[in-house]
Amino acid sequence: LPRALEDRPVVLLNCLPRRGALPAVVPDERAAGRAAAAALLERGHTDRIHLVGEVPPGAYAGGERLAGITAELATAGQQLAGHLACVWWPPDTRTAVHPLVAGSAGGGRPSAVIAINDRVAMGVYQAAAAAGVRIPEELSVVSFDGSDLARWLHPGLTSVALPYREMGMRAIELLVGEPPGARGLHRVPMPLQVRESIAAPES
Amino acid sequence: LPRALEDRPVVLLNCLPRRGALPAVVPDERAAGRAAAAALLERGHTDRIHLVGEVPPGAYAGGERLAGITAELATAGQQLAGHLACVWWPPDTRTAVHPLVAGSAGGGRPSAVIAINDRVAMGVYQAAAAAGVRIPEELSVVSFDGSDLARWLHPGLTSVALPYREMGMRAIELLVGEPPGARGLHRVPMPLQVRESIAAPES
């Protein structure tokens, strides 16, 4: 923290304190992971749900998303059928995911993919198109971030959105409020934006 | 211009002066239009090149791009076969362009589309996929902006890129140089980034 701020009220926004207990406003990534998994469970997906996209060690968002997904699946007695840890760019994802969605990777085709973010989901769409696999009829896709891409892809991508506006408002409230903001993590809910990319699995 | 700047050296960056003759650094959009058209002419496209995406009245970039395209086609005795003035979002473009690329709009299928920007090009890709038209074998696509999308789309999108870094450097040179920067427009070249989306037309 810059020295000039040491005697002033400080709230961290979208980042975590290295140590100590400054107030920090972050997205509730764990609940987002639960919401993504729940959206698939509710539609009847069970044991053919794959996670796509690497979760770097120590990365807050990815780790929390994965923990939430795992926890939510466990409530239904399920677990991820696989985790394809490709890098977060559409071209890399497209190449890496193609054997999986085409069913040539062994272990059967997924009924649903959870993409670690919307860029990865774009690559999943491209792989599905190349393999002739229809979304959502033959493959459901749910993702995280709620970026422009989620609205731009076809069919529209269901995504758990980063609540930028709400996080900003929460940080300002903590900063100017009386008394000054409570220390510790303030988790802001991430809304599930449902679009056309998820459906019941093929029977 | 804010009053506090009235007695200081000023350079406008990526915008135009309302009046007067302040130095302004802008992308060379007209040359970009010529480059996009030339990339198609060089590959043998002639009288089935369509422009897609609206060009709002008074918009600098769109107007200059269109002027450059028209001028370059004229050097080859050609002109645009059509201009589909849809709004700049992938879903709108997809819907609007589908009849054109599917050949159901009358007047024959285009051999190439010039998209007014990369977001529009994304919609053109989606329409082509829905119509079963292969890029670049059956349809060449060239675009403007050189955004992340151009690298992310499959096949990679040929796009004339906005030279953000070079524009920033040019503005700083004009601002701190001796003597202070010359008045008037300073146009920075936009590089053609060639990827896999353009090819010779089907014979």
Side-chain angles (χ1 to χ4, degrees):
Chain A
L1 201 66
R3 252 192 211 175
L5 292 180
E6 276 178 4
D7 295 327
R8 293 163 180 276
V10 168
V11 173
L12 300 181
L13 176 54
N14 204 20
C15 57
L16 296 168
R18 204 170 297 161
R19 53 190 158 70
L22 287 169
V25 176
V26 295
D28 193 343
E29 304 280 5
R30 188 170 301 221
R34 297 196 81 120
L40 296 175
L41 292 170
E42 286 164 12
R43 282 162 181 80
H45 296 269
T46 54
D47 58 354
R48 296 191 292 137
I49 301 173
H50 288 248
L51 178 64
V52 173
E54 64 176 346
V55 177
Y60 169 74
E64 291 284 294
R65 290 173 184 183
L66 175 55
I69 292 165
T70 305
E72 186 67 23
L73 292 178
T75 64
Q78 299 294 345
Q79 57 187 9
L80 285 171
H83 178 195
L84 201 165
C86 57
V87 296
W88 296 348
W89 303 109
D92 301 277
T93 302
R94 177 178 55 79
T95 307
V97 165
H98 187 272
L100 178 68
V101 300
S104 60
R109 285 208 306 110
S111 71
V113 161
I114 303 177
I116 204 70
N117 62 37
D118 294 340
R119 298 198 311 257
V120 166
M122 184 176 182
V124 173
Y125 272 53
Q126 293 172 340
V133 170
R134 288 169 300 146
I135 299 170
E137 293 85 352
E138 298 170 282
L139 180 71
S140 285
V141 183
V142 59
S143 175
F144 300 92
D145 284 357
S147 66
D148 286 338
L149 274 182
R151 291 181 289 112
W152 293 352
L153 286 167
H154 181 73
L157 173 63
T158 296
S159 188
V160 197
L162 288 167
Y164 290 118
R165 180 183 165 79
E166 292 72 17
M167 287 164 63
M169 290 180 64
R170 185 70 178 273
I172 294 294
E173 287 167 6
L174 289 167
L175 197 62
V176 303
E178 285 293 342
R183 288 165 172 255
L185 274 190
H186 298 260
R187 298 179 199 270
V188 179
M190 295 175 61
L192 177 73
Q193 297 175 338
V194 179
R195 297 192 182 86
E196 298 75 39
S197 64
I198 53 177
E202 289 183 300
S203 52
Chain B
L1 201 68
R3 255 193 205 174
L5 292 179
E6 276 178 4
D7 296 327
R8 293 164 179 276
V10 168
V11 173
L12 300 181
L13 177 53
N14 205 19
C15 58
L16 296 169
R18 205 171 298 161
R19 52 191 158 70
L22 287 169
V25 176
V26 294
D28 193 344
E29 304 280 5
R30 187 171 301 221
R34 298 195 81 119
L40 296 175
L41 292 170
E42 285 164 11
R43 283 162 182 79
H45 296 269
T46 54
D47 57 353
R48 296 189 293 136
I49 301 172
H50 287 247
L51 177 64
V52 173
E54 64 176 345
V55 177
Y60 169 75
E64 291 284 296
R65 289 172 185 184
L66 175 55
I69 292 164
T70 305
E72 186 67 22
L73 292 179
T75 64
Q78 299 293 345
Q79 57 185 8
L80 285 171
H83 179 194
L84 201 165
C86 57
V87 296
W88 296 348
W89 303 109
D92 302 275
T93 301
R94 177 178 55 78
T95 308
V97 165
H98 187 273
L100 178 69
V101 299
S104 61
R109 286 208 305 108
S111 72
V113 161
I114 303 176
I116 203 71
N117 61 38
D118 294 341
R119 299 198 311 259
V120 166
M122 183 175 183
V124 172
Y125 272 53
Q126 293 172 338
V133 170
R134 289 170 299 147
I135 298 169
E137 295 85 352
E138 298 170 282
L139 180 72
S140 287
V141 183
V142 59
S143 176
F144 300 92
D145 284 357
S147 67
D148 286 338
L149 274 182
R151 290 182 290 112
W152 294 352
L153 287 167
H154 182 72
L157 173 62
T158 296
S159 187
V160 196
L162 288 167
Y164 289 118
R165 181 184 166 80
E166 290 73 17
M167 287 164 61
M169 290 179 63
R170 185 72 179 274
I172 294 294
E173 287 167 5
L174 288 168
L175 197 61
V176 303
E178 286 293 342
R183 287 165 172 251
L185 274 191
H186 298 261
R187 299 179 198 269
V188 178
M190 294 175 62
L192 177 74
Q193 297 176 338
V194 178
R195 298 192 183 86
E196 298 75 40
S197 66
I198 53 177
E202 289 182 299
S203 52

